[in-house]
Amino acid sequence: MALIVQKYGGSSVADAAGIKRVAKRIVDTLKSGTQVVVVVSAMGDTTDELIDLANQVTPNPPGRELDMLLTAGERISMAVLAMAIADLGVEARSYTGSQAGVITDSVHGKARIIDVTPGRISEALAAGAIPIVAGFQGVAQATKDITTLGRGGSDTTAVALAAALGADACEIYTDVDGIFSADPRRVPKAQHVPYITYEEMMELAAMGAKVLHLRCVEYARRFNLPIHVRSSFSDRVGTWVMSDAVLKEKKVEQPIISGVAHDLSEAKITVVGVPDKPGNAASIFEAIANANVNIDMIVQNVTTTATSSTDITFTCPKTDREMAVKTLEALKPTIGFNSVEFDEDIAKVSLIGAGMRSHPGVSASFFRALASADVNIEAISTSEIRISVVIRAGQTDAAVQAVHTAFGLDGSGEAVVYGGTGR
Ligand code: ASP
Ligand code: MG
């Protein structure tokens, strides 16, 4: 019998009616002759509400306790969903991440999965029950403390479980019909993307498309596990995320550009007046890495001959900004730079497409589109299949729209957004 893992996001289980709708979909899948394991996120905006609650108590909640608090969100939805399935006459058993065998490292707030031992899940399946697993959480191997995988981490739970169970596919249910050529909440003419490669999806996820968690795509790619991203509010076929090789086998013709992503979650940090000599960049980024701050774009300016110093700019999540600045300030005496500055009023806009590799002129058209929308570029970075720029946050919509139109991505219909806040 085929086995699939289905993951339902917060907007799909936002209230009792949503939970009942999802329960019916799960039971229908089982009745159609497929074994199902379910991974569920916290209801609606529960996670944000729990974070707000913690912040009302203290501006700096200890990581261990914040993780314990946040995992409560998924415990609520898993238990209520199991009840709704039982009400339809099918046995369901809910499990915390720890019970499901999701073993992580000990980094609170963004733990990495290091092993999955889903013995209890296999037992439940063998007994004919539907296992419902709390997403986004695990247990640290070293400390035995409860951890969370980072915002949006339930996707990763689902893919990791699917890989460990040898599932045929992982279905990620959300509030849109899959991946679009831009965020349909901002670009009404965004088009549905039927197939996308892991590489493009990873770039999209890393560049701010919130539909899938980056780690989940990395994980799926490692295990060559197909992901089907689709809406729990419709029966439409969503987007299949697969390897290049499988798409070629299926003779799927891939477009040059797959989409435009934007990201408002980052801050820009500049270390001003860094003496230009070997070892300084290493010291700066070692310290940042040791503070567990994930950095993204890095730009080093041309050295001014008069002072023989340079500015180093990078972006990182706004949530890591304070830690990054504090860490850098501490380095000032050893490195001897002038100051550390930060700016949170930025956006990153990226163009992604595997066809960029073999088509010249993509950057030129991208920059021309931004210029026509009167958007100033503050930093640029590229990969083989992506170009990203940092711009003012207030110009995000104008920039995304201009680029989307310039690359002929505008569709004829309006994309449907079924619910949720897109958070
Ligand atoms: N509930 C968590 C969050 O909102 C995890 C998830 O939704 O995947 O980030
Ligand atoms: Mg969520």
Side-chain angles (χ1 to χ4, degrees):
M1 203 174 6
L3 169 66
I4 61 167
V5 173
Q6 296 188 329
K7 178 261 171 176
Y8 292 93
S11 52
S12 296
V13 293
D15 50 21
I19 285 179
K20 286 179 155 177
R21 188 170 46 77
V22 164
K24 176 148 188 323
R25 196 182 257 275
I26 294 166
V27 170
D28 286 348
T29 308
L30 184 74
K31 295 213 163 129
S32 75
T34 304
Q35 275 192 309
V36 201
V37 173
V38 177
V39 172
V40 76
S41 291
M43 296 171 68
D45 291 330
T46 304
T47 308
D48 294 292
E49 285 156 18
L50 292 173
I51 292 172
D52 291 346
L53 172 64
N55 287 333
Q56 283 168 39
V57 177
T58 163
N60 291 310
R64 181 188 186 280
E65 304 312 322
L66 187 61
D67 274 357
M68 191 57 106
L69 175 69
L70 296 189
T71 54
E74 272 71 12
R75 287 179 81 128
I76 295 172
S77 47
M78 73 177 190
V80 182
L81 180 57
M83 292 174 197
I85 293 174
D87 190 55
L88 297 174
V90 175
E91 190 193 348
R93 298 180 191 168
S94 63
Y95 298 93
T96 63
S98 166
Q99 288 176 314
V102 180
I103 317 287
T104 71
D105 64 19
S106 317
V107 184
H108 287 291
K110 48 184 163 194
R112 275 184 177 270
I113 296 178
I114 51 184
D115 196 12
V116 183
T117 51
R120 299 196 66 187
I121 305 305
S122 304
E123 273 169 35
L125 282 173
I130 300 178
I132 315 286
V133 179
F136 167 65
Q137 54 180 270
V139 60
Q141 192 169 51
T143 60
K144 304 283 179 277
D145 283 330
I146 297 299
T147 52
T148 63
L149 309 180
R151 297 307 307 272
S154 301
D155 295 351
T156 303
T157 306
V159 168
L161 260 179
L165 292 164
D168 296 281
C170 181
E171 291 186 338
I172 306 264
Y173 283 95
T174 178
D175 51 9
V176 287
D177 286 309
I179 309 298
F180 283 77
S181 53
D183 184 345
R185 292 182 177 84
R186 282 177 190 260
V187 180
K189 287 193 151 54
Q191 288 190 73
H192 182 254
V193 175
Y195 293 97
I196 194 165
T197 61
Y198 293 124
E199 287 73 20
E200 288 168 303
M201 194 60 235
M202 276 161 59
E203 292 279 12
L204 276 173
M207 293 306 125
K210 287 184 219 65
V211 186
L212 281 184
H213 202 225
L214 172 61
R215 291 235 188 110
C216 114
V217 192
E218 286 172 352
Y219 219 103
R221 178 182 180 218
R222 184 153 18 112
F223 292 92
N224 207 6
L225 179 88
I227 303 179
H228 187 188
V229 189
R230 56 194 306 195
S231 169
S232 68
F233 297 82
S234 83
D235 282 322
R236 280 186 222 164
V237 175
T239 301
W240 280 97
V241 188
M242 300 174 143
S243 74
D244 214 17
V246 173
L247 288 180
K248 286 216 175 77
E249 238 166 68
K250 287 179 171 289
K251 301 223 179 333
V252 174
E253 173 125 28
Q254 284 292 92
I256 299 172
I257 299 299
S258 51
V260 187
H262 69 275
D263 190 350
L264 289 161
S265 70
E266 294 198 335
K268 184 174 86 173
I269 295 181
T270 304
V271 190
V272 182
V274 182
D276 191 14
K277 57 170 202 258
N280 278 344
S283 307
I284 286 174
F285 291 108
E286 270 161 16
I288 291 290
N290 290 337
N292 255 311
V293 172
N294 271 322
I295 54 161
D296 180 26
M297 280 187 181
I298 302 177
V299 182
Q300 177 174 322
N301 284 353
V302 173
T303 306
T304 46
T305 26
T307 58
S308 196
S309 69
T310 185
D311 296 346
I312 295 181
T313 298
F314 64 89
T315 61
C316 69
K318 279 181 184 156
T319 44
D320 285 344
R321 193 266 299 156
E322 210 181 309
M323 178 56 107
V325 171
K326 207 172 83 188
T327 305
L328 291 170
E329 292 287 2
L331 278 184
K332 198 170 161 181
T334 8
I335 297 187
F337 55 77
N338 296 343
S339 61
V340 181
E341 286 167 12
F342 67 87
D343 181 349
E344 297 207 326
D345 203 22
I346 60 154
K348 191 174 59 178
V349 172
S350 309
L351 183 71
I352 289 133
M356 247 179 235
R357 281 194 188 106
S358 47
H359 285 79
V362 173
S363 315
S365 315
F366 181 63
F367 297 140
R368 177 55 62 203
L370 293 171
S372 314
D374 217 16
V375 173
N376 186 43
I377 299 169
E378 301 178 21
I380 303 170
S381 82
T382 59
S383 83
E384 243 192 327
I385 61 168
R386 170 184 60 79
I387 315 167
S388 306
V389 291
V390 170
I391 61 169
R392 287 293 94 200
Q395 290 189 302
T396 311
D397 283 349
V400 172
Q401 186 61 71
V403 171
H404 198 264
T405 306
F407 281 90
L409 297 171
D410 288 353
S412 41
E414 286 236 334
V416 189
V417 178
Y418 297 96
T421 54
R423 288 216 277 191

